[in-house]
Amino acid sequence: MPPLRLKRYLITGLLTFLPLWVTVLVFKFVLGLLAGIGAPLVAALVEALALAAPHAAETLNQRWLVFIVALLITLLALYLLGWLANRVIGQRLIETFDGVLQRIPLVQTIYGGTKKLMAVLQNKPGGTQRVVLVDFPRPGMKVVGFVTRTLVEEGTGREMAAVYIPTTPNPTGGYLELVPMSELTPTDWTMDQAMAFIISGGAVSPDSLPPPRPLPEQPL
């Protein structure tokens, strides 16, 4: 086989495999997190079962089986939590639980901040476009960011935006920047479009980008 054809086939195979590989990595990361939540409960069940039925406990204590059972337990718990949160009694229980966590200093900071971020990203903002483009890491290069809130800078009165910039292909990590509102490029993208753009590494995106913001006039 000619070297050029071999190289071309290898590159084509790699490009064909990469989307599947990235998808598997993302799902493995997410499913691993979910299974990790239910793993302690499965371990406790296996220990309790070992007292009554040692052979059954030994059969259940397989790594892949523990992973599947833990994942199913977590998904079932999340479904029940979502169902309960949509009921009046469930909302009252969650409010009571939130009130307890609000009294624990460090836990309140982490839990309260994360809950506010999730609420902000789920709700459409008023007066400020949620999905924006930001010059990062230098002017001329842009990244997709999510405006989480706006603030006013003391002394100058400038309106600043807190912008969360997720990483690709795993959007659970990223950066937080405070950017002047005048330096943001607003878009008409939805959250779904922005997340698809980030996770796919730009392969899935709208057909056009918004026009660049005008550069500030330089003093003579």
Side-chain angles (χ1 to χ4, degrees):
M1 182 178 297
L4 289 179
R5 183 177 298 179
L6 177 62
K7 182 179 179 180
R8 185 180 65 186
Y9 287 169
L10 286 175
I11 293 176
T12 302
L14 179 61
L15 294 178
T16 304
F17 175 72
L18 273 178
L20 177 62
W21 181 60
V22 172
T23 303
V24 169
L25 286 181
V26 174
F27 269 88
K28 183 179 179 180
F29 174 76
V30 175
L31 295 180
L33 287 179
L34 294 176
I37 297 174
L41 179 58
V42 175
L45 291 175
V46 171
E47 292 181 3
L49 184 62
L51 299 176
H55 295 291
E58 185 178 352
T59 302
L60 181 60
N61 197 18
Q62 307 279 341
R63 186 174 180 179
W64 64 272
L65 190 56
V66 169
F67 180 88
I68 294 176
V69 174
L71 178 61
L72 292 176
I73 289 176
T74 302
L75 292 176
L76 178 61
L78 291 176
Y79 176 83
L80 293 176
L81 181 62
W83 178 84
L84 190 63
N86 284 283
R87 300 295 185 274
V88 175
I89 186 172
Q91 293 174 357
R92 291 178 179 175
L93 289 174
I94 293 175
E95 290 175 359
T96 303
F97 181 71
D98 288 346
V100 173
L101 293 182
Q102 292 287 341
R103 295 181 175 86
I104 306 175
L106 184 59
V107 173
Q108 182 274 336
T109 301
I110 300 173
Y111 176 78
T114 305
K115 188 169 183 178
K116 288 179 181 178
L117 175 61
M118 294 298 101
V120 164
L121 294 180
Q122 289 176 5
N123 298 324
K124 188 174 182 179
T128 303
Q129 179 59 38
R130 175 74 68 222
V131 183
V132 297
L133 300 181
V134 184
D135 289 334
F136 181 83
R138 63 170 177 80
M141 299 179 65
K142 295 186 180 296
V143 293
V144 177
F146 303 126
V147 176
T148 57
R149 66 166 301 178
T150 58
L151 309 93
V152 177
E153 188 177 54
E154 294 185 4
T156 63
R158 287 193 309 173
E159 191 174 12
M160 307 288 289
V163 183
Y164 172 64
I165 301 174
T167 55
T168 300
N170 178 14
T172 58
Y175 307 91
L176 175 63
E177 290 196 348
L178 294 175
V179 185
M181 290 289 293
S182 59
E183 296 183 9
L184 297 178
T185 301
T187 74
D188 58 356
W189 296 6
T190 64
M191 286 292 295
D192 291 341
Q193 288 176 320
M195 292 303 293
F197 179 78
I198 293 167
I199 294 175
S200 68
V204 179
S205 69
D207 294 332
S208 61
L209 290 173
R213 58 179 175 79
L215 295 175
E217 295 183 0
Q218 298 294 332
L220 299 176

